[in-house]
Amino acid sequence: MTNDVPLTSRSLPIALLRARERVMGPIRKMLADAGVTEQQWRVLRVLNEEGPQEPTHIAERACLLLPSLTRILQKLEAKDLIVRRMHPGDRRRQIIDISDKGDQIIKDNIQVTIQLAEDLRTKMGPERHEALLDLLNELRDLET
């Protein structure tokens, strides 16, 4: 192992940030038009996809820190995009669900998201796209 710092063009953290910007850039306009942030969209997507759940699970699935999620849930609740209720077995816990209004935001914008993802998949090629997803998931699952 050398002590040489890799060029930014060969730096994994920088490459991941650049890739994120390439993927998220086109989505940001759709989100702005929908009146939600990237983080709010991820929370709504998780709830839409997986149903009602506790905040801890939402944070994990939406790649958010729990303190950040607390603020995001407050904003989503103020916009009537989610509904909170007490956990049936433990009144100290909450269950969060997407509201009809939140569900409508997903329905109104999911086709744009699907089309953007398909455009990227086509440009990369399906095999390379799947390989990239597999590699990123492997990286996520590495033991630290």
Side-chain angles (χ1 to χ4, degrees):
M1 179 165 191
T2 69
N3 290 330
D4 294 337
V5 175
L7 298 173
T8 57
S9 62
R10 300 303 298 168
S11 165
L12 182 58
I14 291 175
L16 289 169
L17 288 169
R18 288 178 178 148
R20 182 184 192 285
E21 287 307 305
R22 170 59 185 84
V23 172
M24 288 306 299
I27 293 173
R28 286 195 185 104
K29 180 179 179 353
M30 182 236 4
L31 295 177
D33 291 346
V36 294
T37 66
E38 291 175 44
Q39 296 84 1
Q40 291 169 351
W41 175 256
R42 291 196 318 252
V43 169
L44 293 175
R45 285 285 317 274
V46 166
L47 292 171
N48 177 266
E49 187 176 311
E50 299 181 11
Q53 53 198 278
E54 294 184 51
T56 316
H57 190 256
I58 296 169
E60 179 184 312
R61 299 294 293 143
C63 300
L64 294 164
L65 298 174
L66 204 48
S68 297
L69 178 66
T70 300
R71 290 186 298 276
I72 292 164
L73 292 177
Q74 289 170 348
K75 290 183 180 181
L76 288 171
E77 189 173 33
K79 294 179 180 184
D80 296 322
L81 300 179
I82 62 162
V83 178
R84 295 181 199 243
R85 67 179 194 275
M86 296 284 188
H87 188 284
D90 185 346
R91 297 182 55 88
R92 296 169 294 177
R93 294 165 40 200
Q94 292 183 349
I95 299 293
I96 311 297
D97 198 1
I98 191 168
S99 69
D100 290 342
K101 187 176 175 183
D103 199 45
Q104 192 61 50
I105 284 181
I106 298 292
K107 287 178 184 169
D108 290 346
N109 294 284
I110 200 68
Q111 286 305 318
V112 172
T113 304
I114 290 169
Q115 187 59 56
L116 290 169
E118 189 55 39
D119 290 348
L120 188 59
R121 181 181 172 84
T122 298
K123 287 176 183 172
M124 286 191 73
E127 298 82 16
R128 291 179 66 214
H129 184 268
E130 289 301 311
L132 176 60
L133 288 172
D134 290 342
L135 286 169
L136 290 171
N137 286 328
E138 278 182 44
L139 179 61
R140 178 202 62 211
D141 294 338
L142 284 177
E143 300 274 333
T144 54

